[in-house]
Amino acid sequence: MVMAMLFLNDKALPEGMRENKMAAIFGVFLGANMISSALTKTNAFEIYVGKKLVFSQLKLGRTPNREDLIRGFASVGVTLNM
């Protein structure tokens, strides 16, 4: 939505953003990346199939390895061909 607004000629966005579209696009990208990074610093990496928990980094305190994924998906009836 913000990207589409950058190309409008009306007063929807400040003049500086309309005149320097590349900087505005980069700023939006950078801002979104910072927000995304801040939200993922909780070390909450969980994998669900539907409502069934397959793997939880919060419970084990580590990221999943291959065996964790195979075992976790098998517990909910999904076979992985690795």
Side-chain angles (χ1 to χ4, degrees):
M1 181 171 160
V2 174
M3 298 297 189
M5 291 174 60
L6 290 175
F7 296 99
L8 297 175
N9 289 328
D10 63 1
K11 304 291 181 189
L13 291 174
E15 183 178 351
M17 289 181 77
R18 284 184 279 126
E19 289 180 358
N20 195 351
K21 291 180 175 91
M22 288 304 292
I25 290 170
F26 180 72
V28 169
F29 172 77
L30 184 62
N33 194 13
M34 289 171 54
I35 292 170
S36 173
S37 177
L39 293 174
T40 59
K41 289 189 187 252
T42 61
N43 289 330
F45 179 77
E46 297 184 320
I47 301 172
Y48 285 88
V49 173
K51 292 186 177 185
K52 297 179 181 179
L53 182 64
V54 172
F55 182 85
S56 173
Q57 183 175 351
L58 293 174
K59 287 183 180 178
L60 294 178
R62 61 180 174 78
T63 56
N65 58 31
R66 181 178 178 209
E67 288 75 26
D68 291 330
L69 295 176
I70 293 171
R71 192 175 329 111
F73 280 105
S75 72
V76 293
V78 177
T79 304
L80 299 179
N81 296 322
M82 297 174 90

